[in-house]
């Protein structure tokens, strides 16, 4: 157990600097804006929504069904709200547990030795894990790995226990349940069933390729075949249930998510998809260049056979085949088996463990066949000795390749090109292969100095991995650092995201340059065009903003937020007919096949709100009412409805339907008790209905909620004027003009109230100010 404890401790220490990190990249959408984490949302929704909070059967859903992971986020939210510290702590602790379980699995394969410790330390320190551990979203991979290894360990214990005992079947049931839990943390977890079958074949029964064929065709060892059949059937049941639950439809992705999948050329798709596993292997071998995102053109498509990267692809698959051939070849006598010793000039050279060249796991094919014929009544050496190096190699290859299969685009297209967090589970096989390779070199070296040098090199590798991990963790501290680190790999995405961060920091000039840099690398990015337009709109450059909104809509005609802001600019410019058409176009856009249908419906609702407001101001109350009703019907769960309800009340008030108006004003205040406009409008309604005392209470409450807003004083002043409390009205009106001297309505109303109070000199002053604000408007 020493190796497990040391490996877990190292994993914990290496990621301590992530505890002070913020939410980065996808964390915001999964944590901050995911309604499934909120206490008011029924917890059962977790089992109907995808990882991002979208209904799983929706056409725009990513179909990433990970309810157990989302449930862990909800528990985090219940305990600590949106404090990132708690979320990162859970990730680090889970990674430590996974590392300990992996070292425990390695002990079954490598024995109680330095090699188990080396495998555990390699996994604990590998820099490719930083995205999975340092990024909160990566908990899906870490949690799936925890149940993945738990399932595998249960299965290994099941194989080793006395058959037909209660514990024997309990372990098998535990393995199947953990496999299901692993899949419910992340889809990749279901592959543990195939890895468990590989363990049964190659580790527990120590079979070779020819022996597997004999086993299958001659139906020897029925219990083994039954176990593997059970694993296969359980896997099919899990996949079938999951496919049914997600609506029997695959997810759809944009061109930028997976450019190769969208390529019309079969050669391009084939060459690129064949190359991507080789690219991922290089990330495991040399994790020097890492990135938060590998989409778009981060890995350029392979468009022809003359692309030099095809040599990397060929080398990768040749190496894979050679390793597989080594692992599946038939056993021969006097060959190094489990790393304990090998034969040199007839002498046994050991590394501290007793071993005999004629040990029982070097049996010939016929001997092994006889051993497996008797089902579980095998010789005790199959449970007490370590597997051969060849068997460990083929199992490590299974652990490396099988969990990676869902990411290969072989069975279905995925929504990414390369994702480092997907390598979290496959890296276990990689760490085993590296350890077995180092062990084989160690055994073959005859000089003690050479062996010592090799161990120092191994220790140096772990140290270098650890240093790189700690340094990479620093990139995940803040979004600005993360995006800057990705500029060289994916400049379009990195610059665009960096622009958002700089904008939130108030660095408008730097943000604009970042957006333009992103568009330099990829001109048709609708999100970047929209973000640049929004930046320009907020900077009082409406004409330029309008240009970029139009470009964004041209690139993505379903971008509702671009229609919304374009309509608002057109309204401000007095182009009411164009604004109407823009809002109506937006309202008719369906949310089918959209990544974030909640955000889309929010923008559509806002478009309808603004359209209704425009119609209301034009005196078209019946049309405005119809539009507001449509907005309420389309309003998503997370939309803040207080302004919409308040405007419904205003329309009903204009239509003299006072009871309906009162209902909607109360709904607005119920949705947001401190909503100032609703206090003012409800106060006006109460005054109209003769409830003067109540009306004044609401006006005063509005002033209390926002004492710096002149509009509140303006409405209260008008109320006092109607009540013939002229001196009070004049005082309040003048206060309003002092607070909002740049607002024409406030200044003009102040002048009117002061004139009614016979304060003509003060009234003349404010009439003059109103005239300067709107020179073309008659104030008489």
């Amino acid at each position: 157990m020493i190796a497990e404890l040391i490996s877990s401790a190292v994993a914990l220490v290496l990621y301590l600097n992530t505890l002070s990190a913020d939410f980065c990249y996808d964390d915001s959408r999964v944590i901050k804006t995911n309604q499934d984490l909120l206490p008011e949302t029924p917890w059962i929704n977790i089992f109907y929504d995808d990882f991002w909070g979208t209904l799983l059967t929706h056409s725009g859903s990513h179909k990433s069904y990970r309810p157990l992971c989302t449930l862990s986020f909800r528990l985090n939210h219940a305990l600590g709200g949106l404090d990132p510290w708690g979320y990162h702590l859970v990730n680090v602790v889970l990674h430590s547990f996974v590392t300990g379980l992996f070292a425990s699995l390695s002990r079954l394969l490598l024995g109680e030795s330095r090699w188990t410790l080396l495998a555990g330390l390699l996994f604990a320190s590998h820099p490719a894990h930083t995205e999975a551990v340092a990024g909160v979203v990566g908990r899906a991979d870490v949690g799936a790995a925890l149940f993945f290894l738990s399932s595998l360990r249960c299965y290994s214990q099941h194989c080793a226990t006395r058959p037909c005992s209660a514990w024997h079947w309990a372990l098998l049931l535990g393995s199947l349940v953990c496999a299901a839990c692993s899949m419910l943390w992340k889809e990749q977890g279901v592959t543990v069933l195939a890895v468990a079958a590989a363990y049964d074949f190659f580790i527990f029964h120590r079979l070779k390729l020819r022996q597997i064929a004999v086993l299958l065709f001659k139906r020897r060892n029925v219990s083994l075949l039954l176990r593997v059949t059970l694993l296969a059937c359980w896997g099919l049941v899990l996949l079938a249930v999951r496919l049914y639950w997600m609506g029997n439809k695959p997810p759809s992705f944009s061109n930028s998510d997976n450019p190769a999948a969208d390529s019309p050329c079969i050669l391009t798709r084939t060459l690129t998809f064949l190359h991507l596993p080789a690219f991922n292997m290089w990330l495991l071998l040399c994790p020097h260049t890492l990135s938060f995102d590998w989409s778009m053109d981060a890995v350029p498509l392979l468009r022809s056979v003359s692309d030099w990267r095809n040599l990397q692809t060929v080398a990768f698959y040749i190496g894979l085949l050679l390793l597989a051939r080594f692992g599946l070849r038939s056993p021969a006598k006097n060959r190094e088996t489990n790393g304990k010793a090998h034969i040199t000039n007839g002498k046994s050279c050991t590394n501290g463990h007793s071993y005999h060249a004629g040990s029982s796991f070097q049996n010939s094919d016929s001997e092994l066949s006889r051993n497996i014929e008797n089902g579980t009544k095998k010789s005790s050496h199959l449970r007490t000795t370590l597997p051969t190096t060849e068997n460990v190699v083929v199992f490590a290859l299974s652990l490396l390749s099988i969990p990676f299969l869902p990411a290969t685009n072989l069975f279905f297209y995925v929504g990414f090109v390369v994702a480092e967090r997907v390598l979290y589970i496959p890296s276990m096989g990689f760490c085993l292969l590296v350890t077995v390779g180092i062990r084989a070199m160690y055994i073959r070296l005859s000089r003690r100095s050479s062996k010592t040098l090799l161990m120092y090199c191994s220790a140096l590798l772990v140290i270098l991995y650890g240093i790189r991990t700690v340094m990479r963790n620093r990139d995940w501290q803040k979004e600005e650092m993360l995006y800057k680190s990705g500029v060289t790999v994916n400049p379009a995405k990195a610059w665009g995201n960096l622009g958002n961060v700089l904008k939130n920091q108030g660095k408008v000039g730097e943000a604009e340059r970042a957006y333009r840099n992103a568009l330099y690398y990829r001109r048709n990015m609708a999100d970047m065009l929209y973000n640049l337009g929004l930046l320009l709109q907020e900077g009082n450059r409406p004409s330029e903003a309008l240009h970029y909104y139009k470009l964004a809509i041209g690139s993505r005609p379903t971008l509702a937020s671009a229609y919304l802001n374009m309509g608002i600019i057109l309204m401000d410019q007095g182009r009411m007919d164009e604004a109407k058409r823009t809002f109506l176009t937006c309202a008719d856009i369906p949310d089918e096949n959209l990544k974030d249908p909640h955000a889309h419906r929010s923008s559509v609702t806002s478009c309808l709100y603004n359209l209704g407001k425009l119609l209301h101001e034009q005196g078209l109350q019946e049309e405005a009412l119809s539009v507001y009703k449509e907005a309420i019907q389309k309003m998503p769960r997370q939309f803040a409805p207080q302004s919409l309800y308040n405007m419904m009340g205003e329309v009903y008030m204009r239509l003299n339907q006072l009871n309906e108006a009162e209902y909607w004003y109360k709904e607005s205040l119920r949705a947001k008790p401190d909503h100032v406009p609703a206090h003012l409008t409800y106060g006006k309604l109460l005054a109209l209905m003769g409830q003067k005392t109540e009306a004044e209470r609401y006006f005063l409450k509005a002033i209390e909620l926002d004492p710096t807003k002149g509009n509140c004083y303006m409405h209260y002043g008008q109320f006092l004027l109607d009540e013939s409390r002229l001196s009070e009205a004049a005082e309040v009106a003048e206060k309003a003009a002092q607070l909002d001297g740049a607002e024409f309505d406030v200044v003009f109303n102040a002048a009117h109230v002061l004139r009614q109070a016979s304060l003509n000199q003060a009234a003349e002053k404010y009439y003059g100010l109103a005239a300067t604000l709107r020179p073309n408007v008659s104030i008489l």
Side-chain angles (χ1 to χ4, degrees):
M1 296 295 291
I2 300 298
E4 288 92 323
L5 292 174
I6 294 175
S7 300
S8 295
V10 170
L12 192 66
V13 169
L14 287 176
Y15 284 93
L16 284 178
N17 64 335
T18 66
L19 298 180
S20 59
D22 202 349
F23 292 123
C24 291
Y25 195 38
D26 287 336
D27 296 349
S28 295
R29 186 178 168 196
V30 168
I31 307 298
K32 291 183 177 180
T33 63
N34 191 343
Q35 299 295 304
D36 287 343
L37 270 59
L38 301 179
E40 58 265 25
T41 303
W43 67 269
I44 198 69
N45 284 18
I46 290 172
F47 294 93
Y48 292 92
D49 294 342
D50 67 13
F51 192 50
W52 311 95
T54 303
L55 188 65
L56 197 65
T57 54
H58 189 275
S59 58
S61 170
H62 277 216
K63 311 298 183 185
S64 47
Y65 187 56
R66 305 164 189 173
L68 294 185
C69 186
T70 306
L71 183 61
S72 76
F73 290 147
R74 180 159 179 152
L75 292 173
N76 257 132
H77 192 280
L79 294 173
L82 293 176
D83 184 358
W85 184 87
Y87 296 85
H88 287 292
L89 177 64
V90 172
N91 273 32
V92 173
V93 171
L94 285 175
H95 175 58
S96 179
F97 285 159
V98 170
T99 303
L101 277 174
F102 173 68
S104 176
L105 175 66
S106 301
R107 181 162 44 84
L108 289 179
L109 308 173
L110 306 171
E112 293 280 2
S113 66
R114 71 190 75 179
W115 310 117
T116 296
L117 178 60
L118 177 59
L121 292 177
L122 284 172
F123 183 82
S125 61
H126 202 291
H129 298 160
T130 50
E131 182 180 7
V133 184
V136 176
V137 171
R139 186 182 301 179
D141 296 86
V142 181
L146 183 69
F147 283 103
F148 185 102
L149 288 170
S150 298
S151 176
L152 201 53
R153 291 292 283 119
C154 283
Y155 191 81
S156 68
Q157 291 298 315
H158 161 76
C159 293
T161 55
R162 183 171 58 84
C164 300
S165 66
W167 184 238
H168 179 77
W169 297 113
L171 286 168
L172 179 60
L173 179 62
S175 177
L176 298 180
V177 170
C178 285
C181 291
S182 184
M183 188 190 75
L184 292 176
W185 271 87
K186 190 173 182 179
E187 306 79 11
Q188 190 181 18
V190 74
T191 59
V192 68
L193 297 169
V195 175
Y199 177 89
D200 211 342
F201 279 123
F202 303 115
I203 300 301
F204 189 68
H205 283 90
R206 323 265 173 103
L207 300 180
K208 302 301 179 182
L209 185 61
R210 186 174 62 182
Q211 294 164 345
I212 293 174
V214 170
L215 181 70
L216 295 176
F217 285 107
K218 295 188 177 182
R219 298 181 183 178
R220 292 174 173 171
N221 199 337
V222 176
S223 64
L224 170 60
L225 294 177
L226 286 176
R227 279 203 303 269
V228 173
T229 301
L230 178 61
L231 292 174
C233 290
W234 184 238
L236 290 174
V237 168
L238 291 177
L239 291 174
V241 170
R242 189 185 184 284
L243 185 63
Y244 168 78
W245 204 248
M246 65 187 234
N248 297 313
K249 292 181 181 178
S252 58
F253 302 106
S254 66
N255 169 269
S256 62
D257 292 330
N258 191 345
D262 199 56
S263 174
C265 179
I266 296 177
L267 179 64
T268 298
R269 289 201 304 272
T270 302
L271 293 177
T272 304
F273 288 151
L274 286 173
H275 175 70
L276 290 179
F279 187 90
N280 280 276
M281 178 56 78
W282 180 248
L283 287 180
L284 290 174
L285 284 168
C286 183
H288 176 265
T289 301
L290 300 172
S291 176
F292 71 97
D293 191 289
W294 292 88
S295 62
M296 300 182 182
D297 301 318
V299 181
L301 301 178
L302 280 77
R303 301 184 184 275
S304 70
V305 293
S306 61
D307 193 315
W308 70 272
R309 289 175 294 168
N310 287 311
L311 297 176
Q312 294 178 329
T313 304
V314 172
F316 167 73
Y317 287 106
I318 289 176
L320 208 62
L321 289 172
L322 289 175
L323 279 173
R325 182 178 180 276
F326 169 80
L328 293 171
R329 66 184 177 180
S330 297
K333 292 185 178 180
N334 294 339
R335 190 174 64 221
E336 177 259 316
T337 56
N338 68 344
K340 303 298 185 203
H342 73 151
I343 306 304
T344 305
N345 297 326
K347 297 181 180 179
S348 176
C349 303
T350 70
N351 63 348
H353 296 270
S354 62
Y355 172 79
H356 300 285
S359 65
S360 56
F361 49 80
Q362 286 186 324
N363 293 322
S364 64
D365 288 350
S366 60
E367 289 171 326
L368 275 173
S369 297
R370 286 196 297 273
N371 282 334
I372 64 175
E373 280 178 3
N374 296 320
T376 55
K377 296 180 181 180
K378 296 175 291 295
S379 301
S380 61
H381 67 264
L382 285 177
R383 295 188 297 273
T384 58
T385 59
L386 294 177
T388 65
T389 295
E390 291 87 347
N391 286 119
V392 176
V393 166
V394 74
F395 175 73
L397 285 174
S398 302
L399 187 53
L400 172 67
S401 57
I402 293 175
F404 185 72
L405 282 178
T408 60
N409 297 275
L410 181 63
F411 304 107
F412 47 83
Y413 290 140
V414 296
F416 55 86
V417 178
V418 174
E420 291 161 19
R421 57 180 177 264
V422 172
L423 296 174
Y424 189 80
I425 295 177
S427 68
M428 298 176 190
F430 170 80
C431 293
L432 279 175
L433 285 174
V434 172
T435 302
V436 171
I438 294 173
R439 186 183 69 177
M441 292 174 61
Y442 184 91
I443 292 170
R444 283 167 173 76
L445 291 173
S446 58
R447 297 177 60 182
R448 182 174 296 275
S449 60
S450 300
K451 292 184 176 186
T452 303
L453 178 61
L454 180 63
M455 295 311 297
Y456 278 129
C457 289
S458 302
L460 180 62
L461 177 63
V462 171
I463 292 171
L464 291 175
Y465 273 1
I467 292 173
R468 178 67 180 121
T469 294
V470 172
M471 292 176 63
R472 180 60 178 163
N473 288 342
R474 293 169 59 189
D475 292 336
W476 282 89
Q477 287 285 317
K478 300 287 183 183
E479 284 195 309
E480 183 176 358
M481 299 166 65
L482 182 64
Y483 299 145
K484 285 181 178 179
S485 72
V487 166
T488 56
V489 175
N490 192 345
K493 193 71 171 280
W495 278 118
N497 290 347
L498 184 59
N500 294 335
V501 173
L502 293 170
K503 178 190 171 188
N504 292 334
Q505 294 175 351
K507 301 175 181 178
V508 178
E510 294 180 50
E512 182 177 348
R513 284 193 294 273
Y515 287 142
R516 294 189 185 279
N517 284 340
L519 293 170
Y520 171 80
Y521 288 99
R522 195 176 180 91
R523 295 185 178 279
N524 63 341
M525 286 195 298
D527 290 331
M528 292 309 107
L529 291 165
Y530 167 77
N531 289 336
L532 180 55
L534 187 62
L535 186 74
L536 295 169
Q537 181 181 4
E538 293 173 354
N540 295 318
R541 296 156 67 181
S543 298
E544 294 177 73
L546 205 59
H547 169 71
Y548 283 101
Y549 288 144
K550 289 178 180 178
L551 289 177
I553 292 170
S555 179
R556 190 190 301 167
T558 58
L559 188 56
S561 53
Y563 289 96
L564 169 63
N565 286 289
M566 190 165 76
I568 291 172
I569 290 176
L570 292 171
M571 281 179 63
D572 292 341
Q573 293 179 345
R575 298 155 67 177
M576 300 303 178
D577 291 338
E578 291 181 65
K580 277 186 188 179
R581 287 195 296 271
T582 301
F583 290 139
L584 287 170
T585 302
C586 178
D588 291 335
I589 300 173
D591 63 358
E592 299 297 316
N593 299 316
L594 297 180
K595 281 185 177 181
D596 194 348
H598 297 305
H600 171 81
R601 287 196 288 268
S602 292
S603 295
V604 168
T605 304
S606 295
C607 274
L608 290 169
Y609 168 80
N610 282 281
L611 176 59
K613 193 174 179 181
L614 188 156
L615 295 169
H616 168 69
E617 290 172 354
Q618 291 181 338
L620 303 172
Q621 306 305 329
E622 294 290 349
E623 293 181 43
L625 187 61
S626 176
V627 168
Y628 285 140
K629 287 180 178 179
E630 183 183 355
I632 291 173
Q633 185 181 2
K634 292 184 175 181
M635 180 176 63
R637 189 172 62 219
Q638 77 276 12
F639 188 83
Q642 60 273 5
S643 296
L644 178 56
Y645 292 163
N646 185 54
M647 286 304 300
M648 283 282 287
E650 289 219 42
V651 170
Y652 276 117
M653 192 170 172
R654 289 282 184 95
L655 293 171
N656 204 33
Q657 299 180 34
L658 302 187
N659 289 333
E660 287 291 331
E662 184 176 18
Y663 169 80
W664 287 106
Y665 287 144
K666 287 182 177 179
E667 285 296 303
S668 177
L669 290 171
R670 186 177 291 112
K672 193 174 190 294
D674 60 347
H675 187 52
V676 173
H679 281 84
L680 297 173
T681 50
Y682 190 32
K684 288 165 63 178
L685 175 65
L686 290 171
L688 187 63
M689 296 171 69
Q691 301 178 36
K692 308 295 185 180
T693 304
E694 278 293 296
E696 185 169 7
R697 186 170 69 84
Y698 275 93
F699 285 125
L700 291 173
K701 181 64 175 178
I703 292 173
E704 178 187 339
L705 290 170
D706 194 354
T708 62
K709 192 70 174 176
N711 189 54
C712 298
Y713 292 92
M714 181 187 78
H715 284 88
Y716 183 43
Q718 188 63 49
F719 167 78
L720 294 172
L721 181 65
D722 294 339
E723 293 299 302
S724 300
R725 295 160 61 179
L726 299 182
S727 59
E728 294 177 71
E731 182 182 351
V732 171
E734 193 162 13
K735 175 74 171 178
Q738 291 170 356
L739 289 172
D740 278 343
E743 292 291 330
F744 173 81
D745 291 335
V746 174
V747 173
F748 183 77
N749 179 268
H752 173 70
V753 172
L754 289 166
R755 189 179 69 170
Q756 294 296 318
S758 300
L759 299 173
N760 295 329
Q761 187 174 359
E764 183 179 358
K765 168 188 170 185
Y766 286 108
Y767 276 131
L769 179 57
T772 60
L773 292 173
R774 290 189 185 176
N776 298 324
V777 176
S778 173
I779 60 174
L780 298 176

